[in-house]
């Protein structure tokens, strides 16, 4: 029947509607097949986007080149609709195929449903973002995608309002890009969601936020999740009015194809044109297979609810609408469904074949080598059993290959044959390959890696001015802001007053609010704002006011920023600099030095601990010429200590991972960092008065740590190791000792057991005495080092106490 006789005006062409229907069915079939693959043991876990096909297709229609997605693990239909995921790639990720061409999002590193586009080339260099549709890399933690979403949207605001950024058309065309966010209704209970929504409303950024509301969070119904059982009602106060800015809040049903198209068009037009954030509350969503392959929703949903979900399945409702509008016959739709299901099955078969063939080829190789090695071995029967067991593996994995080869080589120990040598060489090559496939690219491997920046020494003259340390930093930031329009700084109190310690004093007046910006008290989204902006080619300096406050943002730093290059197999990066200050503070709060926590949770981010502001300035220069994210921890009690300003302040750089020997000595090596350097140096001077000469080494950076072997070289002459650390026992000191003694074999040079002098196992008490008795002090360092020396020379160093 002709379109002229349709009951309603079609939002798009008949051909497009039928194409959308076929895509929805194909995506649904992929979800259904995927669940079966998990239960058959061909994949470890499955979480799928069934039930959300129509709203995601509607959203995709208004997603343009240059736009960004920051979503969650049920957006497969959307990714397919924008052409950034095909069904074979969907299954390749389900199987954890480590070939980046098979799974471009992560090369098998992320579980299924975690989507990303690659905006870096094979060399780690930026690709153009404005000629393609972009997706930042998903993470599993619920609402973890929200902070980054804010930054992706905020970048558009900067590109639109800062005219100096107009030349960077590879990243933005006049800030016209919209950031699209997606989340499940239950996850809107997370603080990340609320903090992001509030910040987006304050900043007025082009963000379209979709909430897929299926009424549950795994087994927990909406009444336990959301006030008024509706996120749009709960957020009604965010609604913009005639005289006050805010959000545009819209609600639409997940099965209403026509209204979905209208709603998304309206929201995206508003956001793109006026930079007004929008919330689209998509209600009456179904989840046909339940939450994941971990369980069945029949356990917690009533029969009435399950029946309702069957009747209001979005694909079924779209089919009913198509038939009602006479756009196709039932037979036509049956044929489309048949073709869609066939396509999904073929994609699954192709993905499994590609994945399994790679492994089966290597299984054949290792079996051939094992069988040859067994012929002349006295352990032939035992080796044959190993090969038989491997042959019987229904779905062999790389771990099976390595395990079989190693078990064989254990049996061959003590034997000598060419076949054994061939097996060993093959195994070593494969282990290197597997390590590269699964353990590489934690940090940048591009030519712009921070590890490639070499030191440019600070230069001084007789005229070099002696100033407060904060003035050195201020001059450094002034140079950075003046020389690169992409650089901007933001955080609590950074703007008008120039941060609490005056590092940015006067710079907002000089460069404007877009370059030096105040924020609310919201550490999580300060970091997210920086991540998203860095993804889009800007160079943000995000300030967390004090080191203790890093706890608020730790999840975002650890799960998102620190893993970004790794989880995308080098396909994405975000060169964000996080600036904070700590050490030698007083009081239970504002006083922690949780370096062990930072070192353990932030692998993937460089951790720099300058002892003074000149060193900090050198590190900032290094970081701004590189492409790695980094945390710079300035010494809080150093801002008013006097330092000379280098004559080459804008060119001065410090290489990462190169400790500095502050004082040479022969009796013991003391390793420390940050503010404690000054305490250790004074203790060293007092020890020298007693004829004990210690070598004091400032580690300068903890990640990376001592790439130059400076510390172990020092141990060769002193034969004693002391680590002084403000963290609690076993904090950064344990990391330092592991690196020095185990990684660098420093244990070989020790004549005494290693000594750590750390903070007490509690937060520091308030006041000067609290600081003195809670953290390493001069007298404690003196006494413990003296005792260490006295152990082997009581005659010259008798007990003092």
């Amino acid at each position: 029947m002709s379109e002229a006789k349709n009951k309603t005006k079609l939002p798009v062409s008949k051909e497009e509607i039928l194409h959308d229907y076929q895509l929805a069915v194909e995506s649904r079939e992929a979800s259904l097949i995927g669940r079966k693959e998990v239960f058959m043991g061909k994949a470890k876990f499955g979480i799928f986007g069934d039930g959300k096909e129509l709203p995601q297709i509607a959203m995709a229609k208004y997603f343009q080149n240059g736009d960004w997605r920051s979503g969650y693990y049920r957006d497969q239909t959307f990714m397919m609709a924008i052409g950034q995921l095909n069904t074979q790639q969907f299954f390749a990720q389900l199987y954890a195929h480590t070939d980046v061409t098979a799974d471009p999002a992560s090369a098998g590193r992320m579980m299924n449903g975690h989507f990303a586009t690659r905006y870096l080339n094979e060399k780690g260099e930026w690709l153009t973002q404005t000629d393609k549709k972009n997706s930042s890399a998903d993470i599993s933690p619920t609402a973890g995608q929200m902070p980054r979403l804010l930054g992706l949207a905020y970048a558009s605001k900067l590109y639109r309002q800062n005219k100096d950024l107009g030349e960077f058309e590879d990243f933005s065309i006049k800030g016209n890009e919209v950031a699209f966010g997606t989340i499940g209704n239950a996850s809107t209970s997370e603080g990340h969601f609320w903090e992001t929504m509030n910040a987006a409303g304050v900043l007025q950024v082009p963000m379209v936020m979709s909430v897929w509301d299926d009424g549950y969070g795994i087994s927990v119904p909406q009444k336990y999740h959301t006030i008024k059982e509706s996120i749009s009602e709960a957020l009604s106060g965010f609604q913009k009015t005639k005289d006050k800015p805010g959000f545009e809040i819209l609600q639409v049903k997940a099965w209403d194809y026509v209204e979905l198209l209208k709603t998304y068009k309206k929201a995206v037009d508003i956001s793109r044109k006026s930079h007004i954030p929008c919330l689209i509350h998509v209600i009456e969503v179904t989840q046909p297979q339940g939450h994941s392959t971990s369980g069945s929703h029949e356990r917690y949903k009533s029969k009435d609810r399950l029946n309702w979900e069957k009747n209001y399945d979005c694909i079924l409702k779209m089919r009913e609408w198509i038939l009602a509008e006479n756009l196709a016959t039932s037979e036509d739709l049956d044929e489309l469904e048949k073709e869609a299901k066939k396509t999904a099955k073929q994609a699954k078969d192709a993905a499994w074949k590609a994945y399994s063939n790679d492994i089966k080829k290597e299984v054949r190789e290792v079996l051939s080598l094992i069988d040859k090695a067994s012929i002349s071995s006295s352990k032939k029967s035992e080796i044959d059993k190993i090969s038989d067991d491997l042959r019987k593996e229904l779905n062999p994995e790389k771990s099976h290959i390595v395990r079989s080869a190693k078990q064989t080589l254990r049996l061959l120990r003590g034997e000598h044959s060419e076949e054994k040598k061939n097996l060993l060489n093959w195994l070593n090559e494969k282990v290197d390959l597997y390590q590269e496939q699964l353990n590489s690219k934690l940090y940048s491997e591009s030519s712009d890696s921070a590890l490639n920046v070499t030191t440019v020494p600070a230069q001084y003259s007789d005229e070099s001015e002696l100033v407060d340390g904060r003035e050195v930093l201020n001059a450094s930031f002034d140079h950075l802001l003046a020389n690169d329009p992409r650089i901007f700084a933001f955080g609590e109190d950074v703007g008008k007053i120039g941060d609490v310690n005056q590092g940015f004093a006067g710079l907002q007046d000089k460069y404007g609010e877009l370059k030096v910006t105040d924020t609310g008290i919201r550490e999580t989204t300060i970091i997210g704002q920086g991540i998203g902006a860095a993804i889009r080619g800007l160079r943000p300096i995000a300030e967390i006011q004090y080191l203790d406050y890093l706890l608020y943002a730790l999840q975002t730093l650890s799960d998102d920023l620190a893993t970004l290059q790794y989880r995308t197999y080098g396909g994405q990066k975000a060169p964000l600099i996080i600036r904070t200050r700590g050490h030698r503070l007083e009081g239970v709060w504002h006083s922690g030095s949780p370096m062990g926590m930072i070192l353990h949770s932030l692998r993937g981010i460089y951790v720099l601990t300058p002892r003074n502001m000149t060193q900090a300035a050198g590190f900032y220069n290094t970081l701004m010429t590189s492409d790695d994210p980094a945390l710079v921890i300035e010494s809080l009690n150093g801002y008013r200590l006097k330092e000379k300003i280098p004559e080459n302040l804008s060119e001065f750089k410090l290489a990462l991972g190169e400790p500095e020997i502050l004082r040479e000595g022969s009796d013991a090596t003391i390793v420390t960092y940050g503010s404690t350097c000054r305490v250790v140096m004074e203790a060293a001077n007092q020890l020298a008065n007693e004829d004990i000469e210690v070598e004091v080494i400032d580690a300068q950076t903890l990640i990376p740590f001592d790439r130059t072997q400076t510390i172990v070289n020092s141990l060769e002459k002193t034969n004693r190791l002391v680590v002084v650390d403000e963290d609690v026992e076993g904090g950064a000191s344990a990391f330092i000792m592991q690196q020095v003694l185990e990684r660098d074999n420093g244990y070989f040079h020790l004549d005494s057991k290693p000594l750590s002098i750390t903070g007490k196992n509690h937060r520091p008490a308030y006041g000067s005495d609290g600081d003195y008795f809670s953290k390493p002090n001069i007298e404690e360092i003196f006494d413990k080092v003296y005792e260490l020396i006295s152990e082997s020379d009581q005659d010259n160093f008798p007990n003092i106490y």
Side-chain angles (χ1 to χ4, degrees), residues 98-116:
T98 54
D99 185 342
V100 71
T101 60
D103 172 22
S106 69
R109 294 183 175 188
M110 294 192 287
M111 69 174 66
N112 87 294
H114 290 62
F115 308 112

Side-chain angles (χ1 to χ4, degrees), residues 736-796:
I736 291 171
M737 285 192 175
Q738 184 273 333
Q739 296 282 287
V740 174
L741 300 180
E742 181 184 340
R743 186 197 71 177
D744 296 338
N745 295 318
Y747 76 94
F748 185 79
H749 304 292
L750 294 186
D751 290 339
S752 303
K753 73 175 182 179
L755 170 66
S756 64
I757 303 173
T758 70
K760 302 302 183 287
N761 293 325
H762 55 72
R763 301 285 181 90
Y766 178 61
S768 297
D769 280 344
D771 174 79
Y772 183 86
F773 288 100
S774 301
K775 294 195 172 186
N777 59 62
I778 295 169
E779 286 69 34
E780 181 183 17
I781 295 169
F782 179 97
D783 289 345
K784 290 188 174 181
V785 174
Y786 182 93
E787 183 181 351
L788 182 67
I789 302 300
S790 175
E791 287 178 358
S792 59
D793 192 354
Q794 278 279 331
D795 292 339
N796 290 314

Side-chain angles (χ1 to χ4, degrees), residues 81 112 141 150 192 232 295 336 363 366 409 521 641 651 672 696 706:
N112 87 294
L150 177 71
H192 287 11
S232 53
L336 284 179
V363 168
V366 75
L409 288 167
I521 300 174
L641 298 180
E651 293 82 30
T672 191
V696 179
D706 192 6

Side-chain angles (χ1 to χ4, degrees), residues 328-619:
T329 66
S330 182
E331 292 76 15
D332 292 334
L333 296 182
D334 289 345
E335 189 60 32
L336 284 179
E337 291 174 12
K338 181 180 178 181
E339 185 62 29
K341 293 176 181 180
K342 178 182 177 183
T343 301
K345 183 181 183 303
Q346 288 175 338
K348 181 267 295 183
D349 291 341
W352 178 253
K353 182 178 181 181
Y355 167 74
S356 58
N357 280 355
D358 283 354
I359 293 181
K360 287 177 180 177
K361 175 179 178 291
E362 292 173 348
V363 168
R364 289 193 298 270
E365 289 175 0
V366 75
L367 283 172
S368 175
L369 291 167
I370 291 173
D371 290 344
K372 289 176 181 177
S374 75
I375 294 173
S376 59
S377 174
S378 61
K379 302 288 182 68
K380 184 178 187 305
S381 61
E382 295 169 76
I383 294 174
D384 288 346
K385 185 179 185 307
I386 292 171
S387 61
D388 288 343
D389 289 343
L390 181 57
R391 284 186 173 90
K392 291 175 183 176
E393 284 290 345
L394 186 62
N395 298 315
E397 299 175 353
K398 293 171 183 176
S399 58
H400 296 127
I401 295 170
V402 172
R403 188 176 297 125
S404 298
K406 287 193 171 185
Q407 288 174 347
T408 300
L409 288 167
R410 289 176 194 171
L411 293 172
L412 292 172
R413 67 183 182 274
E415 298 184 14
H416 303 283
S417 68
E418 191 66 24
E419 290 77 14
K420 174 186 174 181
K421 182 179 178 181
N422 291 339
L423 175 60
L424 180 59
N425 290 339
W426 184 92
L427 174 63
N428 288 335
E429 289 178 5
K430 288 302 174 185
V431 168
D432 288 345
L433 173 64
Y434 298 159
Q435 294 282 4
E436 194 281 330
Q437 289 175 339
L438 293 164
N439 300 122
S440 62
K441 303 187 187 301
L442 181 59
Y443 301 94
S444 172
E445 297 176 11
S446 77
S447 60
D448 291 326
S449 164
L451 301 185
N452 293 333
V453 180
T454 57
T455 294
V456 177
Q459 297 176 359
Y460 299 96
S461 69
D462 293 339
E463 288 74 38
S464 295
E465 190 177 1
L466 190 66
V467 298
D468 288 347
R470 63 182 176 82
E471 296 179 71
V472 177
L473 266 185
N474 186 264
S476 173
F477 290 138
D478 192 358
H479 282 296
L480 291 172
L481 290 166
N483 293 329
D484 191 337
R486 300 171 302 162
I487 295 175
F488 67 101
F490 62 104
E492 299 160 21
D493 298 309
V494 167
K496 188 173 182 62
I497 69 170
D499 88 47
V500 292
N501 295 101
Q502 300 294 281
F504 284 96
L507 297 184
Q508 185 181 81
D509 290 339
K510 185 172 183 178
Y511 295 103
E513 290 190 33
L514 292 176
K515 293 275 282 181
V516 184
T517 307
D518 284 313
T519 71
I521 300 174
R522 49 175 183 82
E523 286 79 8
T524 299
T525 49
I526 287 173
I527 296 302
Q529 197 170 332
I531 294 171
I535 285 172
R536 295 193 58 192
L538 298 173
R539 297 309 313 266
I541 302 172
E543 177 166 318
I544 300 298
Q545 199 162 88
Y546 294 109
L547 184 59
D548 301 61
Y549 299 168
L550 209 67
L551 284 164
Y552 284 99
L554 189 63
Q555 187 274 327
T556 299
L557 285 167
S558 181
D559 288 330
D560 198 351
L561 183 61
T563 68
L564 182 58
Q565 294 210 53
Y566 171 78
R567 73 179 188 267
T568 60
Y569 191 67
Q572 297 191 357
K573 63 182 175 183
L576 168 65
I577 297 174
I578 305 104
R579 178 193 181 219
T580 189
R581 54 191 64 82
H583 312 306
R584 309 313 298 195
L585 295 93
E586 298 178 2
V588 174
W589 293 277
H590 302 339
S591 59
S593 186
M595 300 305 297
M597 175 195 76
I598 289 168
L599 292 169
H600 294 152
S601 60
L602 299 190
R603 302 297 169 92
I605 300 173
Y606 289 134
V607 178
L608 317 185
T609 52
R611 67 181 179 273
N612 58 36
M613 303 311 147
T614 302
Q615 304 302 94
F619 283 137

